[in-house]
């Protein structure tokens, strides 16, 4: 069974600083996908970034980058130049290997990290 | 130009009632999902449909019944509501792409409160 662990229930970071949110995972599948989502206080789930298990390069999307260390089974999210609007819950998630016909695959989520950006 | 929409956004009801939540996506995706987020913010898959066919059915009480009239819509009907059903329910959709991420995009959520 797949498992995602986010060990930081809460984090503080000063505006304009960088912050790393930790995520470790456990799977026996050789092929998987890792995702980060942001949930602001308004409640919606916003997709941030994706890393495939076979991707050679770490994923980057604007101020977001994913520090993917496959051997350690970690997929930490790095947010550079933090902004007040980055204050939110952040969820790491893993997608299991799709069925042979590739129709659907569920996301398994971690428990989330609440990030607070301060002045 | 909302991608994944859900109605209603808030739903307050009495124990024992039956209620439905509707979801629509205009992304042209072929797969849709229902997730439940509990009071501790933990998100868990409930169901998934692909082209109107039920693909994933996690351990969910029979009182929950999804229905997909077409691939752009996935509704969730809940019978005999219980206090423990209080949660935020998220609809999501994705498109299967060979070798691609098949990223799931979420709706705004429906906060269900059972009194």
């Amino acid at each position: 069974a797949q498992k995602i662990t986010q060990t930081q229930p809460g984090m503080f970071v000063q505006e304009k600083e960088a912050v790393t949110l930790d995520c470790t995972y456990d799977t026996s599948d050789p092929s998987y996908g890792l995702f980060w989502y942001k949930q602001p206080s308004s409640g919606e789930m916003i997709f941030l970034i994706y890393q495939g298990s076979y991707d050679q390069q770490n994923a980057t999307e604007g101020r977001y980058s994913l520090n993917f260390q496959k051997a350690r089974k970690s997929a930490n999210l790095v947010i550079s130049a933090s902004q007040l609007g980055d204050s939110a819950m952040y969820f790491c998630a893993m997608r299991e290997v799709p069925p042979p016909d590739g129709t659907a695959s569920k996301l398994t989520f971690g428990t989330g990290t609440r990030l607070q950006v301060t002045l | 130009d909302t991608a994944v929409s859900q109605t209603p956004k808030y739903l307050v009801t009495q124990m024992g009632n039956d209620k439905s939540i509707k979801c629509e996506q205009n992304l042209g995706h072929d797969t849709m999902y229902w997730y439940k987020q509990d009071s501790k913010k933990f998100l868990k898959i409930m169901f998934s449909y692909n082209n109107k066919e039920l693909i994933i059915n996690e351990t969910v009480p029979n009182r929950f019944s999804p229905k997909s009239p077409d691939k752009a819509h996935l509704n969730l009907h809940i019978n005999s509501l219980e206090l423990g059903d209080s949660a935020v329910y998220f609809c999501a959709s994705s498109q299967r792409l060979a070798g691609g991420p098949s990223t799931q995009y979420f709706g705004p959520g429906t906060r269900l409160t059972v009194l």
Side-chain angles (χ1 to χ4, degrees), chain B residues 27-45:
Chain B
L27 296 167
H29 289 169
D30 55 12
T31 307
M32 296 183 72
Y33 311 79
W34 279 111
Y35 286 84
K36 178 180 179 180
Q37 185 175 42
D38 63 23
S39 58
K40 294 183 179 177
K41 299 287 190 181
F42 185 65
L43 272 147
K44 194 171 188 308
I45 183 87

Side-chain angles (χ1 to χ4, degrees), chain B residues 35-103:
Chain B
Y35 286 84
K36 178 180 179 180
Q37 185 175 42
D38 63 23
S39 58
K40 294 183 179 177
K41 299 287 190 181
F42 185 65
L43 272 147
K44 194 171 188 308
I45 183 87
M46 299 173 70
F47 302 102
S48 175
Y49 270 75
N50 178 263
N51 282 321
K52 303 193 294 175
E53 183 183 350
L54 182 64
I55 297 298
I56 295 174
N57 186 350
E58 292 290 295
T59 309
V60 177
N62 292 341
R63 300 181 294 102
F64 290 79
S65 53
K67 280 198 172 55
S68 182
D70 56 61
K71 75 173 193 175
H73 296 83
L74 179 61
N75 304 323
L76 183 65
H77 188 75
I78 315 170
N79 288 325
S80 303
L81 278 155
E82 299 177 358
L83 293 176
D85 298 332
S86 294
V88 180
Y89 292 84
F90 284 98
C91 177
S93 73
S94 69
Q95 179 67 34
R96 180 177 64 87
L97 296 169
S102 298
T103 301

Side-chain angles (χ1 to χ4, degrees), chain A residues 45-85:
Chain A
M45 292 287 290
I46 303 166
F47 165 69
L48 294 178
I49 196 166
Y50 164 82
Q51 180 85 43
S53 59
Y54 291 119
D55 292 344
Q56 296 295 317
Q57 306 263 5
N58 284 344
T60 60
E61 286 287 348
R63 294 186 299 110
Y64 303 109
S65 60
L66 206 151
N67 184 359
F68 181 47
Q69 298 191 39
K70 195 169 181 177
R72 294 186 178 183
K73 293 189 175 178
S74 75
N76 299 338
L77 177 70
V78 180
I79 305 174
S80 62
S82 296
Q83 302 172 356
L84 294 177

